[in-house]
Coordinates of all heavy atoms in Angstrom, one line a residue:
M1 N 33.1 20.2 37.6 CA 33.4 19.4 36.4 C 32.4 18.2 36.4 O 32.0 17.6 37.4 CB 34.8 18.8 36.6 CG 35.2 17.8 35.6 SD 36.9 17.2 35.6 CE 37.3 17.2 37.3
S2 N 31.9 17.9 35.2 CA 31.0 16.9 35.1 C 31.6 15.6 34.5 O 32.5 15.6 33.8 CB 29.8 17.3 34.2 OG 30.2 17.3 32.9
N3 N 30.9 14.5 34.9 CA 31.3 13.2 34.3 C 31.3 13.3 32.8 O 32.2 12.7 32.1 CB 30.4 12.1 34.8 CG 30.6 11.8 36.2 OD1 31.7 12.0 36.8 ND2 29.5 11.4 36.9
Q4 N 30.3 14.0 32.2 CA 30.1 14.1 30.8 C 31.3 14.8 30.1 O 31.8 14.4 29.1 CB 28.8 14.7 30.4 CG 28.5 14.6 28.9 CD 28.3 13.1 28.5 OE1 27.7 12.3 29.2 NE2 28.9 12.8 27.4
N5 N 31.8 15.9 30.8 CA 33.0 16.6 30.2 C 34.2 15.7 30.2 O 34.9 15.8 29.2 CB 33.3 17.8 31.1 CG 32.3 19.0 31.0 OD1 31.4 18.9 30.1 ND2 32.4 19.9 31.8
V6 N 34.4 15.0 31.2 CA 35.6 14.0 31.2 C 35.4 13.0 30.1 O 36.4 12.7 29.4 CB 35.7 13.4 32.6 CG1 36.8 12.3 32.6 CG2 36.1 14.4 33.7
H7 N 34.2 12.4 30.0 CA 34.0 11.4 29.0 C 34.1 12.1 27.6 O 34.7 11.5 26.7 CB 32.6 10.8 29.2 CG 32.3 9.7 28.2 ND1 31.7 9.9 27.0 CD2 32.6 8.4 28.3 CE1 31.7 8.7 26.4 NE2 32.2 7.8 27.2
N8 N 33.5 13.2 27.4 CA 33.6 13.9 26.1 C 35.0 14.2 25.7 O 35.4 14.3 24.5 CB 32.8 15.2 26.1 CG 31.3 14.9 26.1 OD1 30.8 13.8 25.8 ND2 30.5 16.0 26.4
A9 N 35.9 14.5 26.7 CA 37.3 14.7 26.4 C 38.0 13.5 26.0 O 39.1 13.6 25.4 CB 38.0 15.4 27.6
G10 N 37.4 12.3 26.2 CA 38.0 11.1 25.8 C 38.6 10.2 26.9 O 39.2 9.2 26.6
F11 N 38.3 10.5 28.1 CA 38.7 9.7 29.2 C 37.5 8.8 29.6 O 36.5 9.3 30.1 CB 39.0 10.5 30.4 CG 40.2 11.4 30.2 CD1 40.1 12.7 29.9 CD2 41.5 10.9 30.3 CE1 41.2 13.6 29.6 CE2 42.6 11.7 30.1 CZ 42.5 13.0 29.7
T12 N 37.5 7.5 29.2 CA 36.4 6.6 29.4 C 36.7 5.4 30.2 O 37.9 5.1 30.5 CB 35.9 6.1 28.0 OG1 36.9 5.2 27.5 CG2 35.7 7.3 27.0
S13 N 35.7 4.7 30.5 CA 35.9 3.4 31.3 C 36.6 2.4 30.6 O 37.2 1.5 31.2 CB 34.5 2.9 31.8 OG 33.7 2.6 30.7
S14 N 36.7 2.5 29.3 CA 37.4 1.5 28.5 C 38.8 2.0 28.0 O 39.5 1.4 27.2 CB 36.6 1.0 27.3 OG 36.3 2.1 26.5
G15 N 39.2 3.2 28.6 CA 40.5 3.7 28.2 C 40.4 5.1 27.5 O 39.3 5.6 27.3
I16 N 41.5 5.6 27.1 CA 41.6 6.9 26.4 C 41.2 6.6 24.9 O 41.7 5.8 24.2 CB 43.0 7.5 26.5 CG1 43.2 7.9 28.0 CG2 43.2 8.7 25.6 CD1 44.6 8.4 28.3
K17 N 40.3 7.5 24.5 CA 39.8 7.4 23.1 C 40.7 8.0 22.1 O 41.2 9.1 22.3 CB 38.4 8.1 23.0 CG 37.7 8.0 21.7 CD 36.4 8.7 21.7 CE 35.7 8.6 20.4 NZ 34.5 9.3 20.4
G18 N 41.1 7.2 21.1 CA 42.0 7.7 20.1 C 41.5 8.9 19.4 O 40.3 9.1 19.1
G19 N 42.4 9.9 19.1 CA 42.0 11.1 18.4 C 41.3 12.1 19.2 O 40.9 13.2 18.7
S20 N 41.2 11.9 20.5 CA 40.5 12.8 21.4 C 41.4 13.8 22.1 O 42.6 13.8 22.0 CB 39.8 12.0 22.5 OG 40.8 11.4 23.3
T21 N 40.8 14.7 22.8 CA 41.5 15.7 23.7 C 42.4 14.9 24.7 O 43.5 15.2 24.9 CB 40.6 16.6 24.4 OG1 39.8 17.4 23.5 CG2 41.3 17.6 25.3
A22 N 41.8 13.8 25.2 CA 42.6 13.0 26.1 C 43.8 12.4 25.5 O 44.9 12.4 26.1 CB 41.7 11.8 26.6
S23 N 43.7 11.9 24.3 CA 44.9 11.4 23.6 C 46.0 12.5 23.4 O 47.2 12.2 23.5 CB 44.6 10.6 22.4 OG 44.1 11.5 21.4
S24 N 45.5 13.7 23.1 CA 46.5 14.8 22.9 C 47.2 15.2 24.2 O 48.4 15.4 24.2 CB 45.7 16.0 22.4 OG 45.2 15.8 21.1
I25 N 46.4 15.2 25.3 CA 47.0 15.5 26.6 C 48.0 14.4 26.9 O 49.1 14.7 27.4 CB 45.9 15.5 27.7 CG1 45.0 16.8 27.5 CG2 46.5 15.5 29.1 CD1 43.8 16.8 28.4
M26 N 47.7 13.1 26.7 CA 48.6 12.0 27.0 C 49.8 12.1 26.2 O 50.9 12.0 26.7 CB 47.9 10.7 26.8 CG 48.7 9.5 27.1 SD 47.9 7.9 26.9 CE 47.6 7.8 25.2
S27 N 49.7 12.4 24.9 CA 50.9 12.5 24.0 C 51.8 13.7 24.5 O 53.0 13.5 24.6 CB 50.4 12.8 22.6 OG 51.5 13.0 21.7
H28 N 51.2 14.8 24.8 CA 52.0 16.0 25.2 C 52.7 15.7 26.5 O 53.9 16.0 26.7 CB 51.1 17.2 25.4 CG 51.8 18.4 25.9 ND1 52.6 19.2 25.1 CD2 51.8 19.0 27.1 CE1 53.1 20.2 25.8 NE2 52.6 20.1 27.0
E29 N 52.0 15.1 27.4 CA 52.6 14.8 28.7 C 53.7 13.7 28.6 O 54.8 13.8 29.2 CB 51.5 14.2 29.7 CG 52.0 14.0 31.1 CD 51.0 13.5 32.1 OE1 49.8 13.5 31.7 OE2 51.3 13.2 33.2
A30 N 53.5 12.7 27.8 CA 54.5 11.7 27.5 C 55.8 12.3 26.9 O 56.9 12.0 27.3 CB 54.0 10.6 26.7
K31 N 55.6 13.1 25.9 CA 56.8 13.8 25.3 C 57.5 14.6 26.2 O 58.8 14.6 26.3 CB 56.3 14.6 24.1 CG 55.9 13.8 22.9 CD 55.3 14.7 21.8 CE 54.8 13.8 20.6 NZ 54.2 14.7 19.6
A32 N 56.8 15.4 27.1 CA 57.5 16.3 28.0 C 58.2 15.5 29.1 O 59.2 15.9 29.7 CB 56.4 17.2 28.7
A33 N 57.8 14.2 29.4 CA 58.4 13.4 30.4 C 59.4 12.4 29.9 O 59.8 11.5 30.6 CB 57.3 12.7 31.2
G34 N 59.7 12.5 28.6 CA 60.6 11.6 28.0 C 60.1 10.2 27.6 O 60.8 9.3 27.5
G35 N 58.7 10.2 27.4 CA 58.2 8.9 26.9 C 57.1 8.3 27.8 O 56.5 7.4 27.3
G36 N 57.0 8.7 29.0 CA 56.0 8.0 29.9 C 55.0 9.0 30.5 O 55.3 10.2 30.4
V37 N 54.0 8.5 31.0 CA 53.0 9.3 31.6 C 53.0 9.0 33.1 O 52.8 7.9 33.5 CB 51.5 9.0 31.1 CG1 50.5 9.8 31.8 CG2 51.5 9.3 29.6
R38 N 53.3 10.0 33.9 CA 53.5 9.8 35.3 C 52.2 9.6 36.1 O 51.2 10.2 35.8 CB 54.4 10.9 35.9 CG 53.7 12.2 36.0 CD 54.6 13.3 36.6 NE 53.9 14.6 36.6 CZ 53.1 15.0 37.6 NH1 52.8 14.2 38.6 NH2 52.5 16.2 37.5
S39 N 52.3 8.8 37.2 CA 51.2 8.7 38.1 C 51.0 10.0 38.8 O 51.9 10.7 39.2 CB 51.6 7.6 39.1 OG 50.6 7.5 40.0
G40 N 49.7 10.4 38.9 CA 49.3 11.6 39.5 C 49.3 12.8 38.6 O 49.0 13.9 39.0
G41 N 49.7 12.6 37.3 CA 49.7 13.7 36.3 C 48.3 13.9 35.8 O 47.4 13.2 36.1
P42 N 48.2 14.9 34.8 CA 46.9 15.1 34.3 C 46.2 13.9 33.6 O 45.0 13.6 33.8 CB 47.1 16.2 33.2 CG 48.4 16.8 33.6 CD 49.2 15.8 34.3
T43 N 47.0 13.2 32.8 CA 46.4 12.0 32.1 C 45.9 11.0 33.1 O 44.8 10.5 33.0 CB 47.4 11.4 31.2 OG1 47.9 12.4 30.2 CG2 46.9 10.2 30.4
S44 N 46.8 10.6 34.1 CA 46.3 9.5 35.0 C 45.2 10.0 35.9 O 44.3 9.2 36.2 CB 47.5 9.0 35.8 OG 48.0 10.0 36.6
T45 N 45.2 11.2 36.3 CA 44.2 11.7 37.2 C 42.8 11.7 36.5 O 41.8 11.2 37.0 CB 44.5 13.2 37.7 OG1 45.7 13.1 38.4 CG2 43.4 13.7 38.5
L46 N 42.8 12.3 35.2 CA 41.6 12.3 34.5 C 41.1 11.0 34.1 O 39.9 10.7 34.1 CB 41.7 13.3 33.3 CG 41.7 14.7 33.6 CD1 42.3 15.5 32.5 CD2 40.3 15.2 34.0
Q47 N 42.0 10.1 33.7 CA 41.6 8.7 33.3 C 41.0 8.0 34.5 O 40.1 7.2 34.3 CB 42.8 8.0 32.7 CG 42.4 6.6 32.2 CD 41.3 6.6 31.2 OE1 41.1 7.4 30.4 NE2 40.4 5.6 31.4
G48 N 41.6 8.2 35.6 CA 41.0 7.6 36.8 C 39.6 8.0 37.1 O 38.7 7.2 37.4
M49 N 39.4 9.3 36.9 CA 38.0 9.8 37.0 C 37.1 9.3 35.9 O 35.9 8.9 36.2 CB 38.0 11.4 37.0 CG 38.7 12.0 38.1 SD 38.7 13.8 37.9 CE 39.5 14.3 39.4
G50 N 37.6 9.2 34.7 CA 36.8 8.7 33.6 C 36.5 7.2 33.8 O 35.4 6.8 33.5
A51 N 37.4 6.5 34.3 CA 37.2 5.0 34.5 C 36.2 4.8 35.5 O 35.3 3.8 35.4 CB 38.5 4.3 34.8
K52 N 36.2 5.6 36.6 CA 35.2 5.4 37.7 C 33.8 6.0 37.3 O 32.8 5.7 38.0 CB 35.7 6.1 38.9 CG 36.9 5.4 39.5 CD 37.3 6.2 40.8 CE 38.8 6.0 41.1 NZ 39.3 6.9 42.1
G53 N 33.9 7.0 36.4 CA 32.6 7.7 36.1 C 32.2 8.6 37.2 O 31.0 8.8 37.4
S54 N 33.1 9.0 38.0 CA 32.8 9.8 39.2 C 33.7 11.0 39.4 O 34.9 10.8 39.7 CB 32.8 9.0 40.4 OG 32.5 9.8 41.6
T55 N 33.3 12.2 39.1 CA 34.1 13.4 39.3 C 33.5 14.3 40.3 O 34.1 15.2 40.8 CB 34.2 14.2 37.9 OG1 32.9 14.6 37.5 CG2 34.8 13.3 36.9
H56 N 32.2 14.1 40.7 CA 31.5 15.0 41.4 C 32.1 15.3 42.8 O 31.9 16.4 43.3 CB 30.0 14.6 41.6 CG 29.3 14.5 40.3 ND1 29.0 15.6 39.5 CD2 29.0 13.4 39.6 CE1 28.4 15.2 38.4 NE2 28.4 13.9 38.4
S57 N 32.7 14.4 43.4 CA 33.2 14.6 44.8 C 34.7 15.1 44.8 O 35.3 15.3 45.8 CB 33.1 13.4 45.6 OG 33.9 12.3 45.1
S58 N 35.3 15.3 43.6 CA 36.7 15.6 43.6 C 37.0 17.0 44.0 O 38.1 17.3 44.4 CB 37.2 15.4 42.2 OG 36.6 16.2 41.2
G59 N 36.1 18.0 43.8 CA 36.3 19.3 44.2 C 36.6 20.3 43.1 O 36.8 21.5 43.3
F60 N 36.7 19.8 41.9 CA 36.9 20.7 40.7 C 35.5 21.1 40.3 O 34.7 20.3 39.9 CB 37.5 19.9 39.5 CG 39.0 19.6 39.8 CD1 39.3 18.3 40.3 CD2 40.0 20.5 39.6 CE1 40.6 18.0 40.5 CE2 41.3 20.2 39.9 CZ 41.6 18.9 40.3
T61 N 35.1 22.4 40.4 CA 33.8 22.8 40.1 C 33.9 24.0 39.0 O 34.9 24.5 38.8 CB 33.1 23.4 41.3 OG1 33.7 24.6 41.7 CG2 33.2 22.4 42.5
A62 N 32.7 24.3 38.5 CA 32.6 25.4 37.5 C 33.0 26.7 38.1 O 33.5 27.6 37.4 CB 31.2 25.5 36.9
S63 N 32.9 26.9 39.4 CA 33.2 28.1 40.1 C 34.6 28.1 40.7 O 35.0 29.0 41.4 CB 32.2 28.5 41.1 OG 32.0 27.5 42.0
G64 N 35.4 27.1 40.5 CA 36.7 27.0 41.1 C 36.9 25.7 41.9 O 36.0 24.8 41.9
I65 N 38.0 25.7 42.6 CA 38.3 24.5 43.4 C 37.7 24.6 44.8 O 37.9 25.7 45.4 CB 39.8 24.3 43.4 CG1 40.3 23.9 42.0 CG2 40.3 23.3 44.4 CD1 41.8 23.8 41.8
S66 N 37.0 23.6 45.2 CA 36.4 23.6 46.5 C 37.4 23.5 47.7 O 38.3 22.6 47.6 CB 35.4 22.5 46.7 OG 34.4 22.6 45.7
S67 N 37.3 24.3 48.7 CA 38.2 24.3 49.8 C 38.0 23.0 50.5 O 36.9 22.4 50.7 CB 37.8 25.4 50.8 OG 38.6 25.4 51.9
G68 N 39.2 22.4 51.0 CA 39.2 21.1 51.7 C 38.9 19.9 50.9 O 38.8 18.8 51.4
S69 N 38.9 20.0 49.6 CA 38.6 18.9 48.7 C 39.9 18.2 48.2 O 41.0 18.7 48.5 CB 37.8 19.4 47.5 OG 38.7 20.2 46.7
Q70 N 39.7 17.1 47.5 CA 40.8 16.4 46.9 C 41.5 17.3 45.9 O 42.7 17.4 45.8 CB 40.3 15.1 46.1 CG 41.4 14.4 45.4 CD 40.8 13.3 44.5 OE1 39.6 13.1 44.4 NE2 41.7 12.6 43.8
A71 N 40.7 18.1 45.2 CA 41.3 19.1 44.3 C 42.2 20.1 45.0 O 43.2 20.5 44.5 CB 40.2 19.8 43.5
S72 N 41.7 20.6 46.1 CA 42.5 21.6 46.8 C 43.8 21.0 47.4 O 44.9 21.7 47.4 CB 41.7 22.3 47.9 OG 41.5 21.4 49.0
Q73 N 43.8 19.8 47.8 CA 45.0 19.1 48.2 C 46.0 18.9 47.1 O 47.2 19.1 47.2 CB 44.7 17.7 48.9 CG 44.0 17.8 50.2 CD 43.5 16.5 50.7 OE1 43.8 15.5 50.1 NE2 42.7 16.5 51.7
M74 N 45.4 18.5 45.9 CA 46.2 18.4 44.7 C 46.9 19.7 44.3 O 48.1 19.8 44.0 CB 45.3 17.9 43.6 CG 45.9 17.3 42.4 SD 44.6 17.0 41.2 CE 44.5 15.3 41.2
M75 N 46.1 20.8 44.3 CA 46.6 22.1 44.0 C 47.7 22.5 44.9 O 48.8 23.0 44.5 CB 45.5 23.1 44.0 CG 45.9 24.5 43.5 SD 44.6 25.7 43.4 CE 44.1 25.9 45.1
S76 N 47.5 22.3 46.2 CA 48.5 22.7 47.2 C 49.8 21.9 47.0 O 50.9 22.5 47.1 CB 47.9 22.4 48.6 OG 48.8 22.8 49.6
Q77 N 49.7 20.6 46.8 CA 50.9 19.8 46.6 C 51.6 20.3 45.3 O 52.9 20.4 45.3 CB 50.5 18.4 46.5 CG 51.7 17.4 46.3 CD 51.3 16.0 46.2 OE1 50.1 15.7 46.0 NE2 52.2 15.1 46.3
E78 N 50.9 20.5 44.3 CA 51.5 21.0 43.0 C 52.2 22.3 43.2 O 53.3 22.6 42.7 CB 50.5 21.0 41.9 CG 51.1 21.2 40.5 CD 50.1 21.0 39.4 OE1 48.9 21.0 39.6 OE2 50.6 20.9 38.3
A79 N 51.5 23.2 43.9 CA 52.1 24.6 44.1 C 53.4 24.5 44.9 O 54.4 25.1 44.6 CB 51.1 25.5 44.9
R80 N 53.4 23.6 46.0 CA 54.6 23.5 46.8 C 55.8 22.9 45.9 O 56.9 23.4 46.1 CB 54.4 22.5 48.0 CG 53.7 23.2 49.1 CD 53.7 22.3 50.4 NE 53.1 21.0 50.2 CZ 51.9 20.7 50.3 NH1 51.0 21.6 50.7 NH2 51.5 19.4 50.2
S81 N 55.5 22.0 45.1 CA 56.6 21.4 44.3 C 57.1 22.3 43.2 O 58.1 22.1 42.6 CB 56.1 20.0 43.7 OG 55.1 20.2 42.7
H82 N 56.3 23.4 42.9 CA 56.7 24.3 41.9 C 57.0 25.7 42.5 O 56.9 26.7 41.8 CB 55.7 24.5 40.8 CG 55.6 23.3 39.9 ND1 54.8 22.2 40.1 CD2 56.3 22.9 38.8 CE1 55.0 21.3 39.2 NE2 55.9 21.7 38.4
G83 N 57.4 25.8 43.7 CA 57.8 27.0 44.3 C 56.7 28.0 44.6 O 56.9 29.2 44.7
G84 N 55.5 27.5 44.7 CA 54.4 28.4 45.1 C 53.3 28.7 44.0 O 52.3 29.2 44.3
G85 N 53.6 28.3 42.8 CA 52.7 28.6 41.7 C 52.2 27.3 41.1 O 52.8 26.2 41.2
I86 N 51.1 27.4 40.4 CA 50.6 26.3 39.6 C 51.0 26.4 38.2 O 50.6 27.4 37.5 CB 49.0 26.2 39.7 CG1 48.6 26.1 41.2 CG2 48.4 25.1 38.9 CD1 49.0 24.9 41.9
P87 N 51.8 25.5 37.6 CA 52.2 25.7 36.2 C 51.1 25.5 35.2 O 50.2 24.6 35.4 CB 53.3 24.6 36.1 CG 52.9 23.6 37.1 CD 52.3 24.3 38.2
R88 N 51.2 26.3 34.1 CA 50.2 26.1 33.0 C 50.5 24.7 32.4 O 51.6 24.3 32.3 CB 50.5 27.1 31.9 CG 49.6 27.0 30.7 CD 49.9 28.0 29.7 NE 49.7 29.3 30.4 CZ 49.3 30.4 29.8 NH1 49.1 30.4 28.5 NH2 49.2 31.6 30.4
G89 N 49.5 23.9 32.2 CA 49.6 22.6 31.7 C 49.9 21.5 32.7 O 50.0 20.4 32.4
G90 N 49.9 21.9 34.0 CA 50.1 21.0 35.1 C 48.8 20.3 35.4 O 47.7 20.5 34.8
T91 N 48.8 19.4 36.3 CA 47.7 18.6 36.7 C 46.5 19.4 37.1 O 45.4 19.2 36.5 CB 48.0 17.6 37.8 OG1 49.1 16.8 37.4 CG2 46.9 16.7 38.2
T92 N 46.7 20.3 38.0 CA 45.5 21.1 38.5 C 44.9 21.9 37.4 O 43.7 21.9 37.3 CB 46.0 22.0 39.7 OG1 46.6 21.1 40.7 CG2 44.8 22.7 40.3
S93 N 45.7 22.7 36.7 CA 45.1 23.5 35.7 C 44.5 22.7 34.6 O 43.4 23.1 34.1 CB 46.2 24.5 35.1 OG 47.2 23.8 34.5
T94 N 45.0 21.6 34.2 CA 44.4 20.8 33.1 C 43.1 20.2 33.6 O 42.1 20.3 32.9 CB 45.4 19.6 32.7 OG1 46.6 20.2 32.2 CG2 44.8 18.8 31.6
V95 N 43.1 19.6 34.8 CA 41.9 19.0 35.3 C 40.8 20.1 35.5 O 39.6 19.9 35.1 CB 42.1 18.2 36.5 CG1 40.8 17.6 37.1 CG2 43.1 17.0 36.3
Q96 N 41.2 21.2 36.0 CA 40.2 22.3 36.3 C 39.6 22.8 35.0 O 38.4 23.1 34.9 CB 40.8 23.4 37.1 CG 39.9 24.6 37.4 CD 38.6 24.2 38.2 OE1 38.7 23.3 39.0 NE2 37.5 24.8 38.0
S97 N 40.4 22.9 33.9 CA 39.9 23.4 32.7 C 38.9 22.5 32.0 O 38.0 22.9 31.3 CB 41.1 23.6 31.7 OG 41.6 22.4 31.2
I98 N 39.0 21.2 32.3 CA 38.1 20.2 31.7 C 36.9 20.1 32.6 O 35.8 20.1 32.1 CB 38.7 18.8 31.5 CG1 39.8 18.9 30.4 CG2 37.7 17.7 31.2 CD1 40.5 17.7 30.1

């Protein structure tokens, strides 16, 4: 995943860009959670990366998730909390797709 992809999606150092993919993700996540965006979810994870301008060491790559990385820990934790699978629209799948 590149910094440019995260920025182009609308996750920037000055916040989420209105009308962007980022704002759509945030809206969808907030509706599903009853009005709020949870810490550690797709929106907060990607916004944190966009604000720092640093995605390269996270472990989300074009060829998949790097073993032993922050991304692999995130995926493992999400799989455990969902009975062994990664849900569509979850943090790992959303971040990996971007």
Side-chain angles (χ1 to χ4, degrees):
M1 171 173 39
S2 76
N3 292 332
Q4 192 61 44
N5 288 350
V6 172
H7 186 268
N8 287 345
F11 297 99
T12 72
S13 59
S14 59
I16 291 175
K17 184 177 178 182
S20 66
T21 299
S23 66
S24 294
I25 291 170
M26 182 175 69
S27 175
H28 178 74
E29 186 178 355
K31 286 176 186 174
V37 176
R38 69 180 177 86
S39 176
T43 302
S44 65
T45 300
L46 285 162
Q47 183 54 38
M49 291 176 178
K52 292 179 204 168
S54 177
T55 62
H56 298 291
S57 64
S58 64
F60 292 99
T61 72
S63 58
I65 292 175
S66 298
S67 178
S69 67
Q70 175 189 3
S72 69
Q73 291 171 9
M74 195 186 251
M75 182 175 70
S76 178
Q77 180 180 15
E78 189 172 15
R80 282 193 303 273
S81 70
H82 287 91
I86 301 298
R88 181 180 298 214
T91 303
T92 305
S93 62
T94 301
V95 175
Q96 181 60 31
S97 72
I98 292 177

